[in-house]
Amino acid sequence: PAPSRADPDGAMPVERTPARNGDLPVLGDNEEIRLSEPKIKLYTGQDLQGEGVLHLTTSRIVWLNAQNPASSYAMDYPFVTLHAVSRDKASWPEPCLYCQLKAEETDENGDEEDEPDIPELRFVPADAGHLQQIFMVFSEMSALNPDPKDEQEEDSSEEEDDDEGAALGMCAPNGAAVWEADHNDAAMEDADEDEGLEPEGDVSMETTTK
């Protein structure tokens, strides 16, 4: 069957039954596979979807079910808002790559939800020793595929803040805060020149040093 988006309302932004050639996905233009890991169990929420092959390409995460080819998944990296290695047996019995997907922020009536349900995926490898490599490649590919919506918001905020000479903070693809030293240093230097004063005792500042 032709690939289709599961849930047209966008609550689960994944593609079901992506095109495949055996255990390999059919790649798009300029798309390359950077890592393939067999014997990966996939859980959507608490539900086991089966065991298959996880492919991390330069533009997508593709999991091809080895037992039921029709139950396979593919998604673009920007749809994954958080990914982490989980080894805590209290939260999940097996070591896994835990992923949170973008949540639908409106309900079926079109109203914004205060706490929308966050879709969760867990990729559980047969060999937990491979988790770190999977995580590293996932992180690299995610950094190469930032969310276009985030970039537009950043560009917009940069234009506004530049006019005011304000210190800027941006969001990295994985949601981490980025300290922009050039802007903040300039702001601090201006303050020192104008006031010539040391910060008050109750003022604290946290920065990240590299």
Side-chain angles (χ1 to χ4, degrees):
S4 61
R5 291 282 176 186
D7 191 341
D9 295 328
M12 193 71 172
V14 299
E15 181 183 351
R16 294 297 300 270
T17 61
R20 62 192 289 172
N21 182 8
D23 286 335
L24 296 173
V26 174
L27 302 177
D29 293 340
N30 301 318
E31 183 180 13
E32 299 175 5
I33 295 174
R34 290 300 173 89
L35 182 142
S36 295
E37 183 70 23
K39 297 184 179 179
I40 293 268
K41 288 185 288 186
L42 172 62
Y43 290 84
T44 56
Q46 303 291 320
D47 301 326
L48 174 64
Q49 300 300 313
E51 186 177 88
V53 184
L54 174 65
H55 299 281
L56 300 180
T57 80
T58 49
S59 60
R60 295 180 298 161
I61 304 115
V62 184
W63 180 79
L64 300 179
N65 195 322
Q67 300 152 329
N68 180 11
S71 181
S72 297
Y73 294 84
M75 69 206 77
D76 297 335
Y77 290 100
F79 284 124
V80 180
T81 59
L82 180 149
H83 66 281
V85 172
S86 173
R87 301 182 189 274
D88 182 6
K89 291 187 177 181
S91 61
W92 195 258
E94 302 170 279
C96 65
L97 181 69
Y98 170 78
C99 298
Q100 284 185 358
L101 306 187
K102 277 188 176 179
E104 181 68 13
E105 297 179 355
T106 57
D107 59 22
E108 56 189 18
N109 297 321
D111 299 323
E112 289 191 9
E113 296 187 55
D114 292 335
E115 295 184 7
D117 291 333
I118 299 176
E120 298 177 327
L121 300 180
R122 289 177 175 86
F123 295 99
V124 182
D127 186 345
H130 294 179
L131 263 178
Q132 194 60 32
Q133 178 65 18
I134 295 171
F135 172 80
M136 288 176 62
V137 175
F138 197 115
S139 299
E140 290 172 7
M141 296 302 101
S142 180
L144 293 177
N145 293 273
D147 190 337
K149 206 173 284 186
D150 288 346
E151 288 188 325
Q152 289 173 4
E153 291 173 1
E154 286 165 12
D155 291 342
S156 165
S157 66
E158 282 179 15
E159 290 172 5
E160 294 172 5
D161 291 344
D162 280 347
D163 292 339
E164 300 172 2
L168 299 180
M170 294 168 57
C171 282
N174 61 1
V178 175
W179 179 260
E180 286 201 326
D182 292 344
H183 292 283
N184 286 285
D185 288 346
M188 290 169 65
E189 287 169 9
D190 290 344
D192 290 343
E193 290 171 5
D194 294 343
E195 304 293 338
L197 299 175
E198 293 294 324
E200 296 292 338
D202 61 349
V203 176
S204 62
M205 201 162 192
E206 293 183 3
T207 62
T208 303
T209 56
K210 294 183 181 179

